[in-house]
Amino acid sequence: MSLARWLPLAGWLAHYDRHSLGRDLLAAVIVSVMLVPQALAYALLAGLPAQVGLYASMFPLVLYALFGTSSTLAVGPVAIISLMTASAIAGMSGADGAALSTPEMLAAALLLAFLSGAMLIAMGLLRLGVLVNFISHPVISGFMTASGILIIASQLGPITGLSLSGGNLIAMGESLSAGAHELHWPTLTIGLGCLAWLILARRHLKHGLMALRMSESAAGMLCKTTPIIAVIVSSLLAWGLSDPLVQGKSGMALVGAVPGGLPDLSLPSLVSHDWSGLLISALLISVVGFVESLALAQTLAARRRQRIDPDKELIALGVSNMGAGVSGGMPISGGLSRSVVNFDAGAATPLAGAFTAIGILLASLWLTDWLAWLPRATLAAIIIVATTSLIDIAAIKRTFRYSKGDGAALMITLIITLAHGVESGIIVGIAVSLGLYLKRTSQPHSALVGRVPGSEHFRNVERHEVETDPELAILRIDESLYFANARYLEDTVLALMAERPSLKHLVLACQAVNLIDASALESLEVINERLSAAGVKLHLSEVKGPVMDRLKCSELPANLGGDIYLSTFDAWQALSIHGSHCGQSCARDGISQTAAVG
């Protein structure tokens, strides 16, 4: 039991059989075919040599198979993390203040993956998986959409043969405009051809294959491998036009020579670079990668009625990233398209990822000579088509329609990301998420309620026809009470007392209160004292059991001017002129009755 807690593999391996092996092998073959061009493309997106993407798709997959809790999540290089990696490395400089050389960029990427992994493991051990809940979905949606736009914009250079630079949309646009006269037509032709093929195949190939009596599942699987066709055809065309090492007569940018085999295993250097400058970038990559991976893993697990443990996923992703850091890779995360393919292909366990790593290894051993002829325009087309799923205009419309505040947070994140880059965007997005939370909870909604005639229900006096009592006010608190809203509650109660000179009893209905911290407790004590001085008794109703347990550790129950009631209706019966005073025996007696609440 203890081994399975830290090594989920031990939990399911005992039940592994031939059927599961067959499913995992089939899924691995399909994902491997799909992952090879993606891995190359995302490495180039990060500004790194193409083989780095292959290295990041080997050892990390094996480690995730050991520690991961999702049977279908496929980890590896992904678009957003690659873009954030490129942004982090671009912000560094060499020892002489110049731009980083290729070996220095590789060292920085390894260190970034290692640091990111270490941070994820630390968060997992400290059980901090819940922290991602503080990043609101609108902020994540805005960041994803903006990142998708940036990724597509960054690929306009490779797909047109133009030199493109800049970490935000403005800089990219200026760079593209300045070099527009150098448009390379052979590159553009191949790039647009691959783009058209991938788009048409995504939209129409499946229905065409099903029209030829192919099963829906088989047609869907075959459609996922269409990038391989683009790779093969464009490589053959490039082979007839140019030399991969000197870029030949056509001037077409190719992947070039890709080292084959396994990378060397070694710890990244903490001395040769200012590694402290990567800490913020590593933390942001950790958070974004985990949020993306967890959402995807939980979505796929729900379809099979499986459970994902967020804290174990933190550790699994952390170990996988550290594995990438010691094996020549780059920061990795769960990939949307390959995970969906893994799921659709029927992957039974995380072992499918380990088999995929073997497939990538075989490709790096036998296919590197052919990969040298692969046009970068083809990889750019693959990235553009894969990235379109990140851009969700419909979500922006839905968010604005539902909540103007959330819509504003989404747009702020989106605009900052586009104008200043991914790191600025996610930092501002997290700050906006926390700001929205504090704003909403620092001014908790409360309502004066009255009794719905002939019932035990109480509703807002401004929304319903209800019974009220001039000597009794029932204030329903619709938020937990903590330091940020304690003073606001004081102001609300004192304003109510000033407006109701005939008031003798105030009941705080606490059915929505899940927490009362020390600051809020002190405010309640102040409220009780001031009401008592004014001849008004403070009562509580519907206090939940865990909250009441905490209150019992204080002096508030003993010093309370009024009583603590099991229900708001009990308080109404006991205190209202409309109430049935003969029912008081079932209404109060303070703490002794509330012990059962919750």
Side-chain angles (χ1 to χ4, degrees):
M1 185 68 178
S2 177
L3 181 62
R5 176 185 175 186
W6 296 105
L7 198 67
L9 170 93
W12 52 261
L13 192 58
H15 307 288
Y16 201 69
D17 53 22
R18 286 187 178 182
H19 178 65
S20 298
L21 175 63
R23 291 170 59 186
D24 285 343
L25 286 173
L26 175 61
V29 169
I30 296 173
V31 174
S32 297
V33 171
M34 177 185 183
L35 183 54
V36 169
Q38 278 193 354
L40 298 171
Y42 292 144
L44 295 177
L45 174 61
L48 302 169
Q51 68 269 16
V52 173
L54 295 177
Y55 297 160
S57 304
M58 297 184 200
F59 195 32
L61 272 73
V62 176
L63 292 174
Y64 185 82
L66 296 175
F67 294 94
T69 61
S70 170
S71 61
T72 54
L73 186 69
V75 300
V78 298
I80 288 182
I81 301 303
S82 298
L83 181 65
M84 296 181 72
T85 300
S87 176
I89 295 175
M92 298 184 66
S93 59
D96 56 357
L100 295 181
S101 63
T102 298
E104 288 175 327
M105 292 174 66
L106 285 171
L110 293 176
L111 188 54
L112 194 60
F114 193 85
L115 290 174
S116 176
M119 290 178 179
L120 286 166
I121 291 174
M123 288 189 284
L125 293 176
L126 294 173
R127 298 185 177 276
L128 298 180
V130 296
L131 288 182
V132 299
N133 297 331
F134 287 94
I135 307 178
S136 67
H137 184 269
V139 165
I140 290 294
S141 180
F143 177 73
M144 293 288 190
T145 296
S147 297
I149 295 172
L150 285 178
I151 290 169
I152 291 174
S154 71
Q155 297 310 297
L156 295 180
I159 211 168
T160 58
L162 299 176
S163 178
L164 189 64
S165 61
N168 57 65
L169 198 60
I170 297 173
M172 290 180 191
E174 292 174 349
S175 174
L176 198 63
S177 176
H181 62 282
E182 299 177 356
L183 182 66
H184 191 258
W185 290 104
T187 298
L188 181 63
T189 301
I190 285 184
L192 291 181
C194 291
L195 194 61
W197 158 248
L198 294 171
I199 293 174
L200 290 173
R202 172 177 282 197
R203 293 181 177 178
H204 305 294
L205 183 59
K206 181 177 179 180
H207 297 293
L209 293 175
M210 291 175 62
L212 296 176
R213 298 184 182 278
M214 182 178 288
S215 68
E216 182 177 359
S217 59
M221 289 296 107
L222 191 59
C223 288
K224 302 297 184 182
T225 63
T226 51
I228 290 296
I229 298 175
V231 167
I232 293 173
V233 173
S234 63
S235 297
L236 290 174
L237 288 173
W239 178 67
L241 294 173
S242 59
D243 184 327
L245 300 180
V246 298
Q247 295 188 334
K249 301 174 184 177
S250 70
M252 185 180 300
L254 305 178
V255 169
V258 177
L262 286 170
D264 295 330
L265 298 180
S266 63
L267 288 173
S269 173
L270 299 179
V271 178
S272 59
H273 293 280
D274 180 16
W275 61 271
S276 61
L278 292 174
L279 287 175
I280 297 298
S281 297
L283 179 61
L284 296 178
I285 286 174
S286 301
V287 171
V288 173
F290 177 62
V291 170
E292 186 178 9
S293 298
L294 183 64
L296 178 58
Q298 289 178 332
T299 298
L300 296 176
R303 298 184 187 179
R304 293 183 177 178
R305 299 189 177 184
Q306 296 172 342
R307 179 181 176 274
I308 300 298
D309 187 322
D311 295 316
K312 289 182 180 178
E313 281 299 293
L314 277 169
I315 294 175
L317 287 172
V319 172
S320 299
N321 269 283
M322 292 188 75
V326 301
S327 61
M330 55 186 284
I332 57 97
S333 179
L336 173 61
S337 55
R338 70 184 74 112
S339 295
V340 172
V341 170
N342 207 30
F343 178 90
D344 291 340
T349 70
L351 203 56
F355 294 146
T356 299
I358 296 174
I360 302 299
L361 171 61
L362 296 177
S364 68
L365 289 173
W366 295 340
L367 300 180
T368 51
D369 291 341
W370 286 101
L371 292 175
W373 297 97
L374 177 59
R376 294 197 176 200
T378 301
L379 297 179
I382 292 173
I383 290 176
I384 289 173
V385 173
T387 304
T388 54
S389 61
L390 296 177
I391 302 175
D392 193 350
I393 303 301
I396 298 176
K397 295 179 179 178
R398 288 195 306 270
T399 303
F400 264 105
R401 187 166 56 246
Y402 182 76
S403 170
K404 294 295 188 292
D406 284 335
L410 187 154
M411 289 305 300
I412 290 172
T413 305
L414 188 149
I415 292 171
I416 294 296
T417 303
L418 291 178
H420 293 278
V422 290
E423 288 195 2
S424 298
I426 193 61
I427 289 173
V428 171
I430 292 174
V432 169
S433 293
L434 294 175
L436 285 174
Y437 173 78
L438 290 175
K439 182 178 183 298
R440 289 167 180 166
T441 58
S442 64
Q443 297 181 356
H445 180 267
S446 59
L448 278 174
V449 298
R451 177 175 175 260
V452 177
S455 75
E456 297 184 8
H457 300 290
F458 292 79
R459 294 294 182 267
N460 193 330
V461 297
E462 296 181 0
R463 293 175 176 268
H464 301 273
E465 293 292 333
V466 292
E467 294 179 351
T468 59
D469 184 339
E471 297 182 354
L472 169 66
I474 303 176
L475 185 66
R476 190 188 68 215
I477 308 299
D478 294 334
E479 183 65 63
S480 292
L481 301 176
Y482 72 117
F483 65 91
N485 60 27
R487 182 58 60 87
Y488 184 80
L489 177 63
E490 285 185 42
D491 295 340
T492 300
V493 170
L494 295 178
L496 174 62
M497 184 175 64
E499 294 171 0
R500 302 277 294 271
S502 60
L503 188 65
K504 293 183 178 180
H505 300 280
L506 174 63
V507 178
L508 295 183
C510 302
Q511 56 262 52
V513 176
N514 298 310
L515 168 72
I516 298 177
D517 74 357
S519 298
L521 174 64
E522 186 174 341
S523 288
L524 288 176
E525 291 172 341
V526 170
I527 290 170
N528 182 54
E529 292 174 3
R530 294 186 179 180
L531 289 178
S532 297
V536 180
K537 291 185 177 181
L538 175 65
H539 309 267
L540 304 178
S541 72
E542 305 200 35
V543 181
K544 293 183 177 179
V547 178
M548 193 63 232
D549 291 340
R550 297 288 297 274
L551 290 180
K552 288 179 181 179
C553 298
S554 73
E555 297 179 359
L556 178 65
N559 296 333
L560 196 64
D563 296 307
I564 301 176
Y565 294 90
L566 189 65
S567 71
T568 304
F569 181 67
D570 290 344
W572 172 266
Q573 282 188 310
L575 304 174
S576 171
I577 58 175
H578 303 289
S580 174
H581 293 284
C582 63
Q584 290 183 18
S585 59
C586 64
R588 52 174 178 172
D589 284 344
I591 299 173
S592 61
Q593 286 195 325
T594 60
V597 180

